[in-house]
Amino acid sequence: MSEHDLDALGWSPELAESLEPGLEPGRVIAAHRAAYDVAVASGGEAVRTRLPGRMAHFDEVDVAVGDWVGLSDGLIRSVLPRRSALVRTAAGLTSKPQTLAANVDTAFIVTSLGPDLEPRRLERYLVTIWESGASPEIVLTKADRLDDPSPMVAQVEAVALGVPVWVVSSVTGDGCDALRARIGVGKTAVLIGSSGVGKSTLVNRWLGEELLATQETRADDDEGRHTTTHRALIELPGGGMVIDTPGIRELQLGDAGNSGALEETFADVEALASQCRFNDCAHETEPGCAVRAALADGSLPGDRYASWQKLQRELRAIARRTDARLRQEDRRRWQLLTKDARSRTRHR
Ligand SMILES: Nc1nc2c(ncn2[C@@H]2O[C@H](COP(=O)(O)OP(=O)(O)O)[C@@H](O)[C@H]2O)c(=O)[nH]1
Ligand SMILES: [Mg+2]
Ligand SMILES: [Zn+2]
């Protein structure tokens, strides 16, 4: 990465306001185990930085690709407030959710046209993205493999509910420029989707060079020529940035911090539920249930309703787990505090 103009990286007056005086602003373009590559205004190669030892041990500090940070003496002193964050949920009580990408404007949910197309998985991704604070758009790749993609596109549009749906082929180039144009100057997009759907191929096409390793290049290139895969945030010629990181595909439902995510994704089901006679209708045996009526006349597909129920249950379970974790942390903090107080009384 050569000259870095902060505005091109998405710097804004709001960010400037939250930066402590005396710190140099920069954007994290790659995260390694304990080090971060940060692009700064002074240009040149990104600087390799880390957290001060004190902060690194402090669990709450979580630095991710896309984060804006304040630097001094080559160390990260602060992480600026995030506009959005894609989070991987922690499985257990002790592990913390991990941020995979921060300050993302648009999340492209990428899936290929073909037998692996799954509307249910798209719904899950949509909920996750709405939770993150980024705007989702759906990208259907490998259009060249089908004579007529329109039936599949219609299937996707039925779950997209107004979210833009793009059809592209990195082989013929169809749709690639139109999609590229969605990433404005200073904006950050992320590509999310299963392995093999063509995310890296698409980015390479936008770049006009084989920067990222794809399944193809990986197969015929054992010498590691594509060593840039760790550079997770990539500036596109003409402006805008894209994040293509392998970790992103492991995205799961988050902490339901933004509880509107399910309502956004399933606005059709939510609208029906609001028409039920009883506010607390469980859509089972209650009279005047609009959901059951729509299921009966086929206007609400059964598998879509089942998907809504399933995601709702999962989000509730995650919320319970998060609560339990926070309670545990509170307890620990309280124990430390009281221990501290006890030792103070003793020393008096
Ligand atoms: N037919 C066809 N194949 C594609 C297209 N885009 C990517 N591929 C192939 O799909 C495979 C996976 O692509 P890759 O970019 O590595 O997928 P990723 O894992 O999502 O990054 C490679 O063999 C690509 O050559 C496309 O538009 N059409
Ligand atoms: Mg890839
Ligand atoms: Zn009902």
Side-chain angles (χ1 to χ4, degrees):
M1 218 173 268
S2 54
E3 278 289 297
H4 285 121
D5 171 11
L6 284 187
D7 293 341
L9 290 168
W11 186 242
S12 67
E14 297 80 63
L15 285 164
E17 236 168 72
S18 58
L19 183 72
E20 283 168 60
L23 297 185
E24 183 188 13
R27 191 154 191 209
V28 177
I29 62 164
H32 310 284
R33 193 179 296 271
Y36 305 91
D37 294 337
V38 177
V40 292
S42 46
E45 277 297 304
V47 289
R48 180 59 67 89
T49 63
R50 56 181 180 81
L51 288 163
R54 199 163 26 87
M55 267 171 102
H57 293 292
F58 199 60
D59 279 357
E60 271 86 320
V61 185
D62 165 31
V63 184
V65 168
D67 260 325
W68 282 96
V69 294
L71 302 173
S72 78
D73 303 322
L75 295 175
I76 295 175
R77 306 291 175 175
S78 66
V79 182
L80 305 194
R82 291 170 177 159
R83 203 168 58 247
S84 65
L86 291 168
V87 177
R88 175 161 49 201
T89 315
L93 274 180
T94 48
S95 45
K96 301 245 166 174
Q98 185 198 359
T99 306
L100 298 171
N103 300 312
V104 169
D105 299 288
T106 309
F108 291 127
I109 301 169
V110 187
T111 183
S112 55
L113 285 159
D116 42 334
L117 186 98
E118 275 182 43
R120 302 286 84 83
R121 191 169 51 213
L122 287 177
E123 286 165 344
R124 176 174 288 269
Y125 275 129
L126 284 168
V127 173
T128 316
I129 303 309
W130 284 124
E131 277 192 305
S132 77
S135 305
E137 303 203 2
I138 296 173
V139 179
L140 305 175
T141 57
K142 309 193 185 182
D144 55 278
R145 297 198 300 190
L146 300 175
D147 289 332
D148 177 17
S150 55
M152 276 195 165
V153 176
Q155 218 187 324
V156 170
E157 277 169 345
V159 302
L161 300 184
V163 164
V165 179
W166 304 90
V167 178
V168 302
S169 164
S170 294
V171 168
T172 63
D174 281 349
C176 291
D177 290 347
L179 185 61
R180 162 69 185 89
R182 299 293 289 176
I183 314 170
V185 174
K187 299 290 180 209
T188 306
V190 67
L191 297 174
I192 292 162
S194 310
S195 183
V197 296
K199 300 181 297 296
S200 302
T201 308
L202 188 60
V203 174
N204 286 343
R205 187 167 180 109
W206 287 340
L207 290 169
E209 62 168 313
E210 302 277 303
L211 180 76
L212 298 175
T214 61
Q215 267 175 21
E216 225 95 287
T217 53
R218 233 178 269 128
D220 59 29
D221 182 9
D222 298 331
E223 287 156 40
R225 268 189 295 136
H226 300 272
T227 50
T228 38
T229 41
H230 65 274
R231 175 175 287 181
L233 187 145
I234 299 160
E235 284 189 79
L236 294 170
M241 290 148 281
V242 66
I243 299 175
D244 173 38
T245 146
I248 293 288
R249 67 167 177 265
E250 297 158 44
L251 202 63
Q252 290 153 17
L253 289 174
D255 277 344
N258 172 6
S259 56
L262 208 63
E263 284 87 332
E264 291 271 11
T265 311
F266 292 93
D268 52 344
V269 187
E270 300 280 348
L272 283 169
S274 73
Q275 287 160 27
C276 295
R277 188 179 306 163
F278 300 106
N279 277 339
D280 60 350
C281 185
H283 322 303
E284 276 158 17
T285 54
E286 291 89 342
C289 174
V291 172
R292 292 243 74 94
L295 284 167
D297 71 18
S299 55
L300 174 61
D303 48 1
R304 181 159 172 83
Y305 177 62
S307 174
W308 176 68
Q309 284 183 307
K310 184 163 185 283
L311 290 168
Q312 206 169 36
R313 274 196 303 272
E314 279 181 42
L315 286 173
R316 276 202 208 108
I318 291 166
R320 271 197 303 275
R321 214 158 59 209
T322 307
D323 278 354
R325 197 186 67 229
L326 293 178
R327 270 200 307 278
Q328 205 177 50
E329 276 170 22
D330 275 351
R331 201 159 46 230
R332 209 170 43 224
R333 228 172 267 138
W334 182 81
Q335 280 166 347
L336 283 173
L337 278 174
T338 48
K339 199 171 134 206
D340 199 40
R342 273 201 307 273
S343 67
R344 259 205 309 271
T345 10
R346 220 177 305 129
H347 292 300
R348 222 185 315 207

